[in-house]
């Protein structure tokens, strides 16, 4: 038990990437109790003088080496442990090609496909589920996907990212029409060769920072 | 200073209503230091065993007597005070006709128009601003307004609520078309007399619980 209003406060980060056509999430293998040997989301108690937002940015950088990506506060959970702790959760989107996972024997990080997660410590599956729902909703009305793609990309690449997140195939023609009409992306003038097809037009996000509605 | 990760955790509720064509927010006059005599949002430290969501529901009921209204977790702030406290904020929408403000000499509550707020304790104006932005955005893609209206209402009444929240006039014809095409409201078959015009059709929200996208 803790005093009135004084609670352990942690930050938790759901870090997503798309790799091999699958949406994946970063997990850390716990090397100490409680839940020793289990996997959990990156995170931990706030350091003195540190706010939850700063803790989330720190964790993201520590585990993946990246900064300056899509990172958004998600929800504050409070019943994930039995110590009346409060967990401020975040989700981040990282381009796997730019991420360099921390190399550690203890508490090693690894990417896991969201549709094949192991049992998670501290009811973290609730946090992942919530983040996934928010991410899927955001796809509809924001430029959230920019963090998962290189600066220039083809519409096919963009579609594969959307399909990985949504977990289903999309109609190519409808997808293209919708993407272009939303005004989130612009053609760069460049072209890329994909397989044996004729070179495909390259696009870029108008903004490579969160545009929220 | 507090220990690693142990922080004061409070819940704060931005309670909105529409009255006299104006969007208003509930404030409490502080009867003790710090910020004695200042106005602030309803809220306070969590009680032992209580989560932030429960504290928000409790505060809402204590101050307005209502439950079962639109209440949503908003954002967790951490730098509103100088004690490294964490404040989990919420916003709620209340039909003023159903609210009964707590009658107290000390810490009295009162409605204030959002465009004429007094200086607020604990940087609470940042929380109100954030809530207002979220509320305005939500109007575009949710049934959030249901909590501000009686079970049956005319399209004119609905329009006045939207105008109060957005702080600007809306074109009547466009508003009606959009409301009907969204599928959020349905005609009830009833009619109401408004002024000297012919009786106006009554509508109801399809769902009187949060429908989020």
């Amino acid at each position: 038990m803790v005093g009135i209003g004084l609670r352990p406060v942690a930050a938790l980060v759901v870090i997503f990437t798309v790799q091999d056509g699958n949406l994946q999430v970063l997990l850390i293998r716990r090397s100490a109790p409680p839940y020793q040997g289990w996997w959990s989301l990156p995170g931990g108690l706030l350091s003195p003088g540190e706010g939850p937002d700063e803790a989330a940015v720190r964790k993201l950088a520590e585990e993946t080496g990246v900064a300056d990506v899509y990172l958004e506060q998600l929800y504050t959970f409070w019943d994930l442990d039995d110590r009346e702790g409060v967990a401020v959760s975040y989700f981040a989107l990282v381009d796997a090609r730019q991420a360099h996972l921390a190399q550690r024997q203890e508490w090693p990080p690894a990417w896991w496909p969201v549709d094949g997660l192991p049992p998670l410590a501290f009811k973290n599956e609730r946090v992942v589920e919530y983040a996934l729902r928010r991410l899927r909703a955001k796809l509809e009305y924001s430029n959230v996907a920019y963090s998962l793609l290189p600066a220039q990309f083809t519409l096919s690449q963009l579609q594969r990212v959307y399909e990985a997140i949504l977990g289903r195939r999309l109609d190519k023609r409808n997808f293209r029409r919708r993407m272009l009409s939303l005004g989130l992306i612009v053609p760069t003038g460049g072209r890329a060769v994909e397989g044996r097809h004729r070179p495909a037009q390259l696009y870029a996000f108008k903004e490579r920072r969160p545009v929220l509605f």
Side-chain angles (χ1 to χ4, degrees), chain A:
Chain A
M1 256 302 286
V2 290
I4 287 183
L6 267 194
R7 302 290 178 91
V9 177
L12 279 182
V13 198
V14 184
I15 306 173
F16 288 116
T17 197
V18 171
Q19 227 174 181
D20 309 325
N22 286 310
L23 185 64
Q24 310 197 343
V25 62
L26 192 71
L27 298 178
I28 311 274
R29 192 157 179 277
R30 296 180 58 81
S31 294
Y35 289 103
Q36 184 164 11
W38 289 52
W39 292 86
S40 73
L41 292 168
L45 295 175
L46 306 187
S47 300
E50 187 182 52
D53 293 11
E54 293 161 293
V57 169
R58 172 172 60 84
K59 276 289 158 190
L60 179 66
E62 282 174 10
E63 301 300 343
T64 68
V66 303
D68 198 26
V69 299
Y70 194 97
L71 177 71
E72 180 188 332
Q73 200 191 96
L74 198 57
Y75 197 81
T76 296
F77 294 85
W78 83 283
D79 46 3
L80 301 180
D81 64 24
D82 48 11
R83 300 174 303 159
E84 303 197 359
V86 170
V88 189
S89 66
Y90 294 80
F91 86 94
L93 300 177
V94 164
D95 183 347
R97 284 155 293 211
Q98 317 221 305
H100 302 283
L101 297 198
Q103 300 297 318
R104 287 188 304 250
Q105 297 284 323
E106 305 261 288
W107 305 84
W111 294 114
W112 285 79
V114 287
D115 57 4
L117 295 183
L120 298 184
F122 297 117
K123 303 179 195 161
N124 278 181
E125 57 280 350
R126 288 179 45 201
V127 184
V128 175
E129 241 167 67
Y130 192 97
L132 187 56
R133 222 178 321 142
R134 176 83 67 95
L135 170 59
R136 285 175 173 165
K138 283 249 151 162
L139 267 194
E140 301 298 322
Y141 60 90
S142 81
N143 66 344
V144 70
Y146 79 87
S147 253
L148 293 167
L149 286 152
Q152 299 195 39
F153 48 84
T154 66
L155 281 173
S156 303
Q157 280 179 296
L158 184 63
Q159 183 172 342
R160 283 196 294 273
V161 163
Y162 270 67
E163 289 178 337
I165 293 173
L166 296 172
R168 59 186 167 85
R169 303 303 299 264
L170 298 170
D171 177 74
K172 183 169 165 175
R173 194 177 308 189
N174 286 342
F175 178 77
R176 286 171 182 238
R177 188 170 20 209
R178 185 164 153 68
M179 280 304 116
L180 294 173
S181 72
L182 278 175
L184 293 176
I185 58 173
V186 287
T188 64
R191 289 182 171 270
V193 179
E194 289 193 314
R196 296 181 309 169
H197 304 289
R198 66 186 176 88
Q201 243 187 318
L202 285 169
Y203 290 84
F205 278 94
K206 258 189 207 165
E207 302 263 13
R208 286 187 75 86
R209 55 174 190 83
V211 175
L212 302 178
F213 310 106

